[in-house]
Amino acid sequence: VQLVESGGGLVQAGGSLRLSCTASGFTFEDVNYVIAWFRQAPGKEREGVSCIMGSEGRRYYSDPVKGRFTISSDDAKNTVYLEMNSLKPEDTAVYYCAALLGTVIGVGRQGMLHPGRYRYWGQGTQVMVSS
């Protein structure tokens, strides 16, 4: 399994970016999966941002991004997107996508946004938001 992120860059506060995470090694239509976005700012721990559960389409968002970020998937492209609007300087971080394969039952938002749950990781893409 390989995950490749793209779409990061420099944007002014209030602006928007769309990150992409393209997966290979498995097909969205054929397996149950969860793909999540995490971010890590300098000197801080990696934190969960959002995830999407492919089999049922359930989505979770962390409190800091709820209402501003939207996660979606395109099965035909084997890609998950993170649409980020109303960006703030505190959103500056390296953003990583991560994946797990299989069915997850009985795990809520906190568990699904924990980095330890994910086996496969991308290399990250830098997002910088200027004030």
Side-chain angles (χ1 to χ4, degrees):
V1 173
Q2 286 191 320
L3 304 172
V4 178
E5 304 98 331
S6 61
L10 174 64
V11 64
Q12 288 188 330
S16 299
L17 283 174
R18 188 178 77 159
L19 304 183
S20 300
C21 172
T22 300
S24 59
F26 71 100
T27 303
F28 283 14
E29 295 177 336
D30 293 340
V31 301
N32 293 324
Y33 68 90
V34 181
I35 289 185
W37 286 97
F38 293 83
R39 66 186 182 186
Q40 189 165 19
K44 295 189 176 182
E45 293 186 353
R46 190 168 297 190
E47 64 169 340
V49 173
S50 181
C51 71
I52 184 167
M53 303 175 78
S55 59
E56 56 189 282
R58 193 188 317 169
R59 296 161 171 82
Y60 291 113
Y61 298 93
S62 65
D63 286 340
V65 309
K66 194 176 297 182
R68 299 188 297 123
F69 291 11
T70 302
I71 192 169
S72 62
S73 64
D74 185 332
D75 286 359
K77 295 183 178 180
N78 238 43
T79 297
V80 168
Y81 302 100
L82 185 69
E83 185 76 35
M84 306 187 297
N85 298 315
S86 302
L87 283 162
K88 304 175 182 180
E90 50 264 43
D91 294 318
T92 295
V94 178
Y95 283 70
Y96 300 89
C97 68
L100 67 85
L101 304 184
T103 302
V104 180
I105 299 174
V107 179
R109 183 183 69 159
Q110 188 172 1
M112 293 310 304
L113 294 182
H114 190 285
R117 185 166 296 278
Y118 294 85
R119 178 176 180 180
Y120 305 103
W121 290 83
Q123 81 288 350
T125 185
Q126 177 72 54
V127 171
M128 297 186 67
V129 183
S130 63
S131 57

